[in-house]
C-alpha cells in the first residue's frame, strides 16, 4: 500500500478563509474584476501581474478566486503542482486530450473506459485526424506493441468502468515515459484512495460529478497536473480550457469545496460497505466483482496502488448473465426493497444501479463489449453510505434470491 496521505495534504498548509475570516470561503461571483490603475491592464491581461504578484483577477473564464480555492485543494489532494476545474468530467478529458494531441497523433486507450470517453476516442477525435488504439490495459505486451512513432498519450481509468479492471499505473508510466508519451489517468472511481500522479501519471482527470462531490446535484470536472501543463490549458492563444471555455460556476466550486473535507470519510465508508456486500454475494455464489475480494484476480495490485487505509472503493458489479435478469433484479432492489435507485452515474450517498451495456457503455459496439468482458447482464452498483448496513445486506440477499441468481 502507498504511504501518500491525501487527507493530510489537503489541510497541511492552510484552510483557506473567506472574506472577513469566514470559516467557509466566500463565493466570488463577479465575471470581471476592477483594475485600479489602467496602466497595469496589459500586464494583468498577459498574466504577468497575477493576484499573487500584486496584480488582480481579470475575468472569470480565466481565473476566479473561488474556483481557484478548489483548484488548490485538488492539487494538494492529488500531490500535483497545479489543477484546473472544468464544467464537466468530459470537458476535463477532451481539453486534456486536445492539448496533448494534434492532427496525425495517436493515443493508446484502455478498452475498458466510460462510454462517453470511448466515443470521444473512437468517433470524435478521428474527425480531427487523431486516432486511438484500444488495448487491454492490463496486458503490458499489448500496450507496448500498440506504440507508434506518433503515440502521444496512454489513457486509462484507474478502475475501468464498468468491469473494474485495475491499471498498473507505475508500469504504464514507465512504458509511456520510455516512448515519450504522457500517461493520462481518469481517477473518477477512486479519489483519495489512489493518487495516480504519485504513482507516475502525468495528468489526472476527474469527473467531480461523482464521488468528489458526492451529492449528485452538479456536474463538474478537474485536471490535476504540472504547473506548466495547467498554464498551457489556460494560455490566451492556444489553451484548450481557456478557449473552448468549459468554465465552472463559482457556486458549483463552492459546493464542492464544502464537501471535499469529508470525501476521505465517505470513500472509506463506501469501501467498507461495498466490501461487506461483495463478501456476502460471493458467499452466495453470485458472480460479483470487487477489487477488495481476496479472490479478485488483481486484488494484490489494487492493494499496492491504494493509499493505506482507504479500502477498495464503492463500485462493484454483479453479473446477472442476461439483461432481463439484471433489470428484474434492479426493479426489485429499487421498488420492493428500497435498496437504491436505478440511475446512471455513481458516487452518490445512496446506492445507484445501472445495467452498463445498455446505458453508460452503450456507445461501445456489442463486439467490443464482448472483447472487454462486459456481459449484457452486468449490473454496476455504486454502493451508498446511507441506512443500516445489516439491513442493506438483507435487502440485496432477498432480492438476489427472488431473482434466483
Ligand atoms: N469518467 C468516468 C469514469 C465517468 O464514469 C464519467 C461519467 O459517467 C465521466 C468521466 C464523465 O463525467 P461528466 O458526466 O462529469 O462529464
Amino acid at each position: 500500500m502507498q504511504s501518500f496521505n491525501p487527507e493530510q495534504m489537503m489541510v497541511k498548509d492552510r484552510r483557506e478563509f473567506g472574506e472577513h475570516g469566514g470559516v467557509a470561503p466566500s463565493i466570488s461571483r463577479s465575471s470581471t474584476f476592477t483594475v485600479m490603475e489602467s496602466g497595469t491592464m496589459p500586464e494583468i491581461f498577459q498574466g504577468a501581474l497575477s493576484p499573487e504578484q500584486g496584480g488582480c483577477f481579470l475575468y472569470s473564464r480565466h481565473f476566479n478566486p473561488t474556483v481557484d480555492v478548489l483548484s488548490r485543494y485538488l492539487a494538494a489532494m492529488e500531490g500535483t503542482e497545479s489543477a484546473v476545474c472544468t464544467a464537466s468530467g468530459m470537458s476535463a478529458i477532451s481539453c486534456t486530450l486536445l492539448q496533448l494531441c494534434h492532427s496525425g497523433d495517436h493515443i493508446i486507450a484502455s478498452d475498458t473506459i466510460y462510454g462517453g470517453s470511448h466515443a470521444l476516442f473512437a468517433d470524435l477525435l478521428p474527425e480531427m485526424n487523431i486516432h486511438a488504439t484500444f488495448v487491454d490495459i492490463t496486458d503490458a505486451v499489448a500496450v507496448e506493441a500498440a506504440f507508434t512513432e506518433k503515440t502521444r498519450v496512454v489513457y486509462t481509468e484507474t478502475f475501468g468502468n464498468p468491469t473494474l479492471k485495475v491499471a498498473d499505473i507505475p508500469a504504464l508510466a514507465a512504458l509511456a515515459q520510455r516512448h515519450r508519451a504522457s500517461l493520462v489517468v481518469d481517477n473518477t472511481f477512486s479519489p483519495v484512495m489512489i493518487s495516480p500522479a504519485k504513482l507516475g501519471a502525468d495528468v489526472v482527470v476527474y469527473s467531480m460529478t461523482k464521488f468528489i462531490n458526492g451529492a449528485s446535484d452538479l456536474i463538474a470536472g478537474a485536471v490535476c497536473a504540472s504547473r506548466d501543463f495547467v498554464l498551457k490549458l489556460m494560455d490566451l492563444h492556444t489553451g484548450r480550457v481557456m478557449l473552448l471555455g468549459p468554465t465552472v460556476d463559482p457556486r458549483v466550486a463552492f459546493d464542492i469545496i464544502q464537501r471535499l473535507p469529508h470525501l476521505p470519510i465517505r470513500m472509506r465508508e463506501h469501501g467498507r460497505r461495498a466490501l461487506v456486500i461483495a463478501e456476502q454475494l460471493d458467499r452466495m455464489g453470485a458472480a460479483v466483482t470487487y477489487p477488495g475480494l481476496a479472490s479478485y484476480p488483481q486484488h494484490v495490485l489494487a492493494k499496492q496502488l491504494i493509499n493505506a487505509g482507504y479500502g477498495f472503493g464503492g463500485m462493484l458489479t454483479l453479473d446477472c448473465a442476461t439483461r432481463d435478469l439484471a433489470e428484474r433484479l434492479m426493479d426489485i432492489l429499487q421498488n420492493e426493497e428500497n435498496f437504491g435507485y436505478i440511475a446512471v452515474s455513481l458516487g452518490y450517498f445512496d446506492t445507484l444501479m445501472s445495467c452498463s451495456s445498455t446505458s453508460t457503455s452503450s456507445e461501445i459496439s456489442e463486439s467490443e463489449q464482448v472483447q472487454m468482458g462486459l456481459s449484457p447482464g452486468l449490473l454496476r452498483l455504486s454502493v451508498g453510505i446511507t441506512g443500516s448496513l445489516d439491513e442493506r445486506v438483507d435487502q440485496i440477499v432477498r432480492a438476489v434470491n427472488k431473482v434466483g441468481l
Side-chain angles (χ1 to χ4, degrees):
M1 287 204 193
Q2 294 295 306
S3 57
F4 182 66
N5 187 329
E7 219 164 339
Q8 249 171 33
M9 295 310 290
M10 277 198 273
V11 295
K12 189 167 161 272
D13 296 328
R14 65 184 169 264
R15 176 87 190 131
E16 301 206 22
F17 295 104
E19 246 180 305
H20 315 296
V23 293
S26 308
I27 305 180
S28 191
R29 290 180 55 187
S30 233
S31 57
T32 190
F33 297 83
T34 311
V35 174
M36 290 303 183
E37 291 170 47
S38 61
T40 58
M41 179 64 102
E43 281 174 281
I44 292 168
F45 204 87
Q46 294 307 322
L49 204 52
S50 65
E52 301 96 66
Q53 293 157 313
C56 69
F57 282 93
L58 179 74
Y59 186 63
S60 280
R61 175 161 49 78
H62 201 197
F63 292 112
N64 168 279
T66 311
V67 179
D68 281 5
V69 171
L70 177 57
S71 300
R72 286 194 289 272
Y73 280 143
L74 292 170
M77 171 180 106
E78 216 49 46
T80 53
E81 283 174 358
S82 197
V84 60
C85 300
T86 59
S88 64
M90 277 322 298
S91 55
I93 296 166
S94 51
C95 287
T96 296
L97 270 299
L98 289 172
Q99 197 72 50
L100 290 169
C101 300
H102 299 89
S103 176
D105 285 345
H106 174 249
I107 296 167
I108 298 172
S110 165
D111 61 6
T112 306
I113 51 176
Y114 164 59
S117 306
H118 191 282
L120 175 74
F121 295 132
D123 306 323
L124 193 149
L125 291 181
E127 290 187 10
M128 301 172 191
N129 196 28
I130 298 168
H131 295 274
T133 304
F134 292 98
V135 295
D136 176 353
I137 209 72
T138 64
D139 181 346
V141 176
V143 178
E144 175 84 69
F147 277 96
T148 74
E149 294 239 303
K150 290 287 188 183
T151 306
R152 297 286 169 265
V153 169
V154 176
Y155 181 90
T156 189
E157 293 174 0
T158 314
F159 290 165
N161 185 357
T163 63
L164 305 177
K165 195 163 27 183
V166 183
D168 186 344
I169 296 170
L172 290 169
L175 261 182
Q177 199 177 22
R178 187 138 46 83
H179 290 271
R180 294 202 179 82
S182 299
L183 176 64
V184 178
V185 176
D186 180 338
N187 198 40
T188 296
F189 279 23
S190 43
V192 303
M193 269 172 64
I194 296 179
S195 303
K198 287 283 158 197
L199 296 167
D202 297 287
V203 182
V204 184
V205 290
Y206 279 108
S207 166
M208 296 201 287
T209 313
K210 313 292 177 354
F211 287 103
I212 289 186
N213 180 57
S216 289
D217 58 354
L218 56 80
I219 303 277
V223 183
C224 303
S226 66
R227 184 167 166 73
D228 183 52
F229 187 66
V230 168
L231 287 177
K232 279 189 180 143
L233 288 170
M234 300 312 296
D235 185 83
L236 289 179
H237 297 276
T238 56
R240 285 11 177 207
V241 172
M242 182 64 186
L243 296 180
L244 297 174
T247 312
V248 67
D249 187 305
R251 286 166 288 191
V252 165
F254 175 83
D255 286 348
I256 301 174
I257 290 167
Q258 291 301 81
R259 291 160 188 174
L260 211 51
H262 46 74
L263 174 64
I265 297 172
R266 286 188 274 118
M267 290 309 295
R268 282 197 207 94
E269 186 59 9
H270 282 293
R272 184 180 78 88
R273 285 165 176 256
L275 179 62
V276 171
I277 291 172
E279 283 173 343
Q280 177 60 40
L281 292 172
D282 198 36
R283 275 194 294 276
M284 294 167 73
V288 59
T289 295
Y290 183 64
L293 291 175
S295 58
Y296 183 68
Q298 291 179 293
H299 176 67
V300 173
L301 173 63
K303 226 168 154 172
Q304 282 165 2
L305 300 183
I306 288 170
N307 294 315
Y310 287 102
F312 291 84
M315 303 302 296
L316 66 83
T317 67
L318 182 55
D319 191 352
C320 305
T322 66
R323 181 180 152 190
D324 184 46
L325 276 180
E327 287 171 354
R328 270 174 55 202
L329 181 61
M330 279 193 291
D331 283 334
I332 295 171
L333 283 169
Q334 173 178 272
N335 302 327
E336 295 177 25
E337 295 291 349
N338 255 325
F339 177 80
Y341 301 108
I342 304 169
V344 294
S345 203
L346 53 116
Y348 188 38
F349 49 72
D350 277 323
T351 295
L352 300 182
M353 334 173 255
S354 55
C355 184
S356 298
S357 64
T358 51
S359 59
T360 50
S361 298
S362 62
E363 294 91 338
I364 304 170
S365 71
E366 258 175 57
S367 63
E368 283 173 294
Q369 288 190 13
V370 171
Q371 213 175 336
M372 69 192 248
L374 172 52
S375 137
L378 192 89
L379 185 61
R380 189 190 74 183
L381 287 106
S382 169
V383 175
I385 54 178
T386 59
S388 134
L389 179 55
D390 288 344
E391 197 184 335
R392 294 293 184 220
V393 171
D394 289 347
Q395 288 168 337
I396 197 161
V397 166
R398 275 197 301 269
V400 164
N401 284 335
K402 277 186 205 168
V403 172
L405 281 184

